[in-house]
Amino acid sequence: MTSDTSLRQTALHDRHLAGAARMVPYAGFSMPVQYAGILQEHAAVRHRAGLFDLSHMGQFELTGDAVAEWADGLCTNAVATMKPWQARYNIFCNERGGAHDDTIFYRLDGRWLLVVNGANVDKMWDLLNDALPANGIELQSFHGKRALIAIQGPKSVEMLASHVPVDIGALKYYFCTETTVDGVPALLARTGYTGEDGFELFVDGDAASGLWKNLLDRHSGEGLEACGLGSRDVLRLEAGMPLYGHELTEEITPIQAGQSWAVKLNKSFTGRDALEAQVAAGDYSRIAGLIMTGPVPAREGYAVQHGGQNAGDIRSGSRAPSVENKNVATALLDPGAAALGTELEVEIRGKSHPATVVPLPFYKRSQPSK
Amino acid sequence: MGRPEELLYSKEHEWVRVEGDTATIGITDYAADSMGDVVYVELPKVGAGVKQFGTAGVVESVKAVSDLYAPVAGEVVEINDTLENDPAAVNKDPFGSGWLFKVKLEGGTPPEGLLDAGEYERLTA
C-alpha cells in the first residue's frame, strides 16, 4: 500500500483499502494493481466477471452544435457519422502521425463524452483547449469528480441486470444509455478493454463507493471479483488491444500499431498526410504479436533479433493464461521481421530466446456480444 | 502463514535455513506476496559460486521481473528444479516446497549480516 500523499485518490479508494488491494501510483492516483492476484482476477473476468475502478481515466464533456465536425478534424476515426448513444474508439495524432492518445468518444443526448488515458489527461486537456474555436463549443472536465466502474466478463449482463431498470442485454456493443444503477443516475456503456463482454458505468463520485459495495455484496457468491490494473493489462494484451505508452506512443502511429481500421483517410485530420504517406510507402516498422517458445517471459524493452540482426523491441509481455499459459508479447518490428510465422530471437539477460510471430489478437472470445 | 523463528532473513527478503555447513535459501512470504503470481524462476547453476548479497538469479511474476540475491556466500550445491514445472510453489509454500537453492557455506561458518525473525518482522511491519 502506498502512503505517498502527493497521489490523488479515486472515490473508491476506501473500498480498495478495505478489500486489501495492493495500491500503486498510476497516472497520479493511488490505484489497485491487484486484489487476490492477477491470475485469479484474470480467470474471474474470462469465466465470470470482474469489477474494475477506472476513475483515474480522464472524462471530458463537449457541448455545442459543431462538436462533431470540429473533432473530426482532430482525430483519426469518424465522429460525425456516430449515431446518438454510440461509442467509438478514436486516436488523436500529432502532425507526424504519432499518437497523442487513444480514446473513446461517446455521443450522448446533445453532448459528447471523451474518455482519455489517465496518463494523458493533462496533455489532452491542453490539446483540446488549444484547438477550441473562439465560441460555440464548451469543454468541461469531470476528471476525478466522476467515477468510472467497469464490470467485465461473460456473466456481467446477468449480474448487472437486476440493478438496472432497462434491458441491458438489448444494449448493443459500443452503445450506451442513461439510466440508473441501484437508483444512482449513471451513463451505462457496453464498452470495456478486456476482450470480454461487459459494461462501463459513469457515476457521480459520491455514489461510486456504495455502488461498488452493492455489486460485490450481491454477486461475489456468483464469482464477481474486485480486480486491479494488473489483470486488466494481461486481459487487454491477450485481446490485442494497444495500451498507450506501449503499442501506441507519440512515435508509434496507429498504422504501425495495427489500428488502421480506426483511421479514416477520406477526411482531413491532424496527422492525416503523414499516415497516408506511411500507408503508401508500406515499409514501416509495425506492432506484431509474439509467442515465446521457451518458458521465459519477454518484457518491455527487450531487444528482438531476426537472423542475428536487430529487428526491434518488445513493447508489452506477459504470461497469458488464455493462450495456453504461454508467454506472449507485442514487439515493434522492422517490416522484414514482422511476417506471420517468422522465427525471431528475444534477448533476455544476455541470452537469446526463440519466439514466433503470430496473429493478433492472441485471444478472441467465442461469443461476441450483440 | 507463520514465519519460521529459526530462519535468518535478508533485507532483500530472502530467508536462510542453516544446517551444518549448508544453507537453504528461499524468498519470504512478504516477497512472494508483493510480487504476485510467480510464473518463472531462474536459479544459479549447481557448482556456481555466489557472493553474499550478490545477484543469484531472477524471479518473475505475471507482470514483473525481480532480481534474486544470495544472502550467503558459497558454492551452489542444489537447486529446486521442481519449480521449473511449478513456479507457483513460491507463492503457495515459500518456506517449504517453494525453496530456491542450497549453498555450501564459504569457510563453513554461519553467515553474518542477516536478521533474525524478530528483526525481519519489524522490517516488514
Side-chain angles (χ1 to χ4, degrees):
Chain A
M1 169 186 325
T2 179
S3 58
D4 187 342
T5 52
S6 67
L7 293 172
R8 297 177 71 182
Q9 297 177 356
T10 74
L12 294 162
H13 190 257
D14 288 349
R15 290 280 165 228
H16 301 320
L17 298 189
R22 182 169 311 131
M23 307 299 285
V24 297
Y26 190 82
F29 283 79
S30 173
M31 296 298 293
V33 66
Q34 68 172 60
Y35 273 82
I38 288 178
L39 295 180
Q40 182 174 325
E41 294 162 30
H42 172 281
V45 175
R46 285 280 183 256
H47 303 296
R48 301 177 302 278
L51 211 52
F52 296 87
D53 178 12
L54 305 177
S55 307
H56 64 293
M57 299 186 79
Q59 297 185 38
F60 301 151
E61 280 200 3
L62 291 148
T63 51
D65 293 340
V67 168
E69 291 71 22
W70 170 77
D72 254 337
L74 291 174
C75 51
T76 63
N77 206 351
V79 182
T81 58
M82 288 172 66
K83 298 171 187 165
W85 306 110
Q86 189 172 9
R88 187 166 280 172
Y89 180 78
N90 219 317
I91 299 162
F92 288 73
C93 287
N94 57 39
E95 291 288 354
R96 303 184 312 279
H100 285 313
D101 197 17
D102 63 336
T103 65
I104 306 280
F105 252 115
Y106 297 84
R107 182 174 181 178
L108 311 180
D109 180 17
R111 62 204 164 93
W112 302 74
L113 170 65
L114 181 66
V115 176
V116 307
N117 279 294
N120 291 335
V121 169
D122 292 344
K123 177 172 72 172
M124 290 299 293
W125 178 250
D126 291 345
L127 184 149
L128 293 171
N129 269 298
D130 289 348
L132 276 182
N135 55 49
I137 296 177
E138 297 280 330
L139 173 64
Q140 197 177 358
S141 175
F142 290 89
H143 184 225
K145 298 172 195 156
R146 201 189 273 155
L148 174 52
I149 297 172
I151 178 168
Q152 299 281 299
K155 302 285 186 193
S156 54
V157 174
E158 128 188 4
M159 288 184 187
L160 197 55
S162 64
H163 298 262
V164 182
V166 296
D167 177 10
I168 58 167
L171 188 66
K172 290 182 182 169
Y173 191 51
Y174 266 71
F175 276 79
C176 58
T177 186
E178 277 181 325
T179 182
T180 57
V181 182
D182 290 337
V184 172
L187 175 70
L188 186 154
R190 201 161 194 172
T191 51
Y193 220 62
T194 60
E196 296 302 330
D197 191 10
F199 299 88
E200 293 181 309
L201 313 173
F202 301 83
V203 296
D204 188 78
D206 291 340
S209 183
L211 186 55
W212 179 275
K213 184 175 185 303
N214 279 354
L215 288 167
L216 278 179
D217 285 352
R218 287 265 301 277
H219 303 291
S220 55
E222 301 156 52
L224 179 66
E225 293 205 26
C227 298
L229 297 178
S231 59
R232 188 167 186 261
D233 191 37
V234 178
L235 291 157
R236 71 88 200 166
L237 174 61
E238 288 183 340
M241 296 169 165
L243 179 63
Y244 193 84
H246 297 259
E247 289 80 16
L248 268 177
T249 70
E250 294 281 351
E251 310 305 324
I252 304 176
T253 73
I255 302 297
Q256 292 175 282
Q259 303 302 94
S260 54
W261 61 273
V263 177
K264 302 291 184 270
L265 290 175
N266 60 355
K267 63 161 190 158
S268 177
F269 60 87
T270 306
R272 180 202 165 281
D273 293 348
L275 295 178
E276 185 178 53
Q278 190 167 58
V279 171
D283 62 346
Y284 49 86
S285 57
R286 63 202 67 195
I287 295 292
L290 304 187
I291 285 191
M292 303 298 295
T293 312
V296 192
R299 308 291 188 180
E300 182 182 5
Y302 289 176
V304 181
Q305 295 201 324
H306 178 225
Q309 302 294 313
N310 286 335
D313 68 329
I314 301 292
R315 307 304 303 176
S316 298
S318 175
R319 181 64 56 92
S322 302
V323 191
E324 299 172 13
N325 227 17
K326 292 178 177 170
N327 293 307
V328 305
T330 57
L332 184 65
L333 295 178
D334 295 340
L340 295 182
T342 305
E343 302 289 335
L344 301 169
E345 303 89 40
V346 180
E347 293 299 306
I348 304 176
R349 296 183 285 277
K351 290 182 192 165
S352 286
H353 294 263
T356 305
V357 179
V358 299
L360 288 171
F362 301 106
Y363 167 83
K364 214 170 191 174
R365 67 176 179 264
S366 53
Q367 293 213 317
S369 47
K370 295 173 187 176
Chain B
M1 181 182 301
R3 196 169 279 161
E5 285 286 328
E6 72 277 17
L7 304 185
L8 296 171
Y9 299 86
S10 74
K11 289 177 182 170
E12 286 75 33
H13 309 291
E14 288 90 18
W15 57 260
V16 183
R17 175 178 286 115
V18 178
E19 292 164 305
D21 63 354
T22 302
T24 305
I25 291 150
I27 64 170
T28 66
D29 54 342
Y30 179 88
D33 287 350
S34 301
M35 252 182 258
D37 302 301
V38 173
V39 295
Y40 177 73
V41 180
E42 196 165 281
L43 297 172
K45 290 195 172 7
V46 171
V50 290
K51 293 179 182 169
Q52 190 177 28
F53 307 128
T55 308
V58 163
V59 180
E60 300 206 29
S61 64
V62 178
K63 288 303 300 170
V65 182
S66 303
D67 282 332
L68 169 67
Y69 298 98
V72 299
E75 180 189 335
V76 177
V77 292
E78 189 178 349
I79 61 170
N80 184 358
D81 48 20
T82 66
L83 296 178
E84 193 175 325
N85 293 321
D86 185 22
V90 174
N91 297 108
K92 286 182 288 198
D93 191 12
F95 297 109
S97 62
W99 68 276
L100 298 176
F101 60 102
K102 295 185 181 183
V103 170
K104 185 175 181 189
L105 292 167
E106 202 168 70
T109 54
E112 295 181 350
L114 297 174
L115 310 175
D116 64 25
E119 290 167 329
Y120 185 69
E121 190 72 36
R122 285 191 286 281
L123 180 74
T124 54

